[in-house]
Amino acid sequence: MATTHHNQPLPQDAPVPGEGLDASRMPGHWLLARLGKRVLRPGGVELTRWMLDTLDMGPGDRVVELAAGLGATARLTLDRAPAAYTAIDRDPAAVAALSTFTTPGATNVRAVQADAAKTGLSTADATVVYGEAMLTMQPEPAKRRIIREAHRLLDGSTGRYGLHELCLLPDDLDPALADRIAADLADAIHVGARPLTPAAWSGLLADEGFTVTSHRTAPMALLEPRRLVADEGLLPALRITGRALRDPAARRRVLQMRRVFRRHQAHLGAISLIAVPTPSAL
């Protein structure tokens, strides 16, 4: 089979979520994807790599990625040659793109259109489940449903769960300020973002039967030039910038998002957590 690498570009005719929608109204992550951005994670590819390294995937692992999107992390996972990789996403365009992925080895790769809270996959059949930049966008009941589904999917003896999300800092952040940040984010990205503090993320996982074994925070610098180049590469970063400059509506949205991120940079970060099923919760 053909080799898959993390920097392999999507086919030129690959569908992009939100294609054809008005740039002034579409969700921010879809807009960035339409401009050519492939790494849409709050802590960038560096924090994603830390998450995957800490999950310690190997040839015996059966991996499920929830809300896999355009596959930036799928490529990194497939480079680690697990026994199986299943991508879950609700968007048919994302599933169509993910279904084209192949590997040089024996990894069984598939893409499934389903909700992260109700995947339809077999119970206790995965050794690794992870999701990035999607729990933040859910209200608390939906967050809990997705985490419970991850717990159901995992083999209790060897299972590991990884998250990479937005976070609020510090742990004792004034609730009124937290609400203001969430409102500003929702206005900018046109999605109801509800990030939590590190302690609250850990507490949520504990409530749903997980024990956090490791975590790391990073600056939320998604649209800063240095992060853009680090995540995408110099030439792709220049192409993304050029497309934004040629599209006034897209340019206004990108600048609005960056202003909000900068306004709250002291209290807005990225976090990755690694957790395992708590024995008493099995």
Side-chain angles (χ1 to χ4, degrees):
M1 291 189 289
T3 302
T4 296
H5 295 290
H6 71 268
N7 59 355
Q8 175 186 345
L10 286 172
Q12 290 298 311
D13 59 350
V16 175
E19 194 167 16
L21 295 180
D22 185 340
S24 66
R25 294 184 174 88
M26 69 171 62
H29 58 290
W30 286 5
L31 173 66
L32 295 175
R34 194 175 79 174
L35 293 173
K37 190 157 182 20
R38 293 296 177 253
V39 178
L40 299 168
R41 312 312 192 195
V45 72
E46 183 178 355
L47 194 57
T48 290
R49 287 183 185 277
W50 179 87
M51 180 187 74
L52 296 179
D53 287 344
T54 309
L55 286 169
D56 193 26
M57 292 178 218
D61 280 308
R62 303 178 303 280
V63 181
V64 175
E65 180 176 2
L66 302 176
L70 295 179
T73 305
R75 296 177 176 89
L76 294 171
T77 296
L78 292 175
D79 284 347
R80 296 160 191 261
Y85 168 80
T86 301
I88 301 293
D89 205 280
R90 289 187 306 180
D91 191 275
V95 172
L98 290 158
S99 68
T100 67
F101 285 18
T102 56
T103 72
T107 303
N108 179 16
V109 180
R110 61 174 174 159
V112 177
Q113 186 176 349
D115 192 284
K118 193 175 183 181
T119 63
L121 302 182
S122 299
T123 298
D125 194 43
T127 58
V128 174
V129 176
Y130 67 81
E132 298 182 281
M134 59 102 172
L135 284 180
T136 298
M137 307 305 173
Q138 309 296 327
E140 183 176 332
K143 283 181 171 70
R144 292 184 180 275
R145 287 194 296 271
I146 293 167
I147 295 171
R148 288 171 195 156
E149 178 70 352
H151 196 285
R152 183 188 70 81
L153 294 174
L154 282 170
D155 178 330
S157 61
T158 61
R160 292 95 75 199
Y161 184 32
L163 298 180
H164 177 177
E165 299 289 342
L166 280 173
C167 73
L168 296 172
L169 301 166
D171 281 328
D172 60 354
L173 183 68
D174 182 347
L177 178 54
D179 289 344
R180 191 180 321 137
I181 293 171
D184 286 352
L185 286 171
D187 184 58
I189 66 178
H190 295 186
V191 177
R194 299 167 180 85
L196 303 177
T197 64
W201 279 119
S202 294
L204 183 63
L205 287 167
D207 287 348
E208 300 303 333
F210 283 99
T211 298
V212 174
T213 59
S214 189
H215 82 276
R216 175 174 289 191
T217 58
M220 214 303 278
L222 183 68
L223 296 179
E224 295 302 322
R226 183 175 296 180
R227 171 71 66 76
L228 186 63
V229 171
D231 286 350
E232 309 291 340
L234 179 58
L235 290 179
L238 291 173
R239 286 194 288 268
I240 292 165
T241 302
R243 292 186 191 107
L245 290 173
R246 291 190 296 272
D247 184 333
R251 183 175 67 249
R252 285 192 293 271
R253 287 288 310 285
V254 171
L255 291 176
Q256 180 190 15
M257 286 188 281
R258 192 170 70 177
R259 281 195 300 271
V260 169
F261 296 159
R262 287 180 171 177
R263 181 185 311 149
H264 298 298
Q265 62 184 346
H267 301 295
L268 191 61
I271 188 168
S272 179
L273 304 100
I274 308 300
V276 297
T278 303
S280 61
L282 299 180

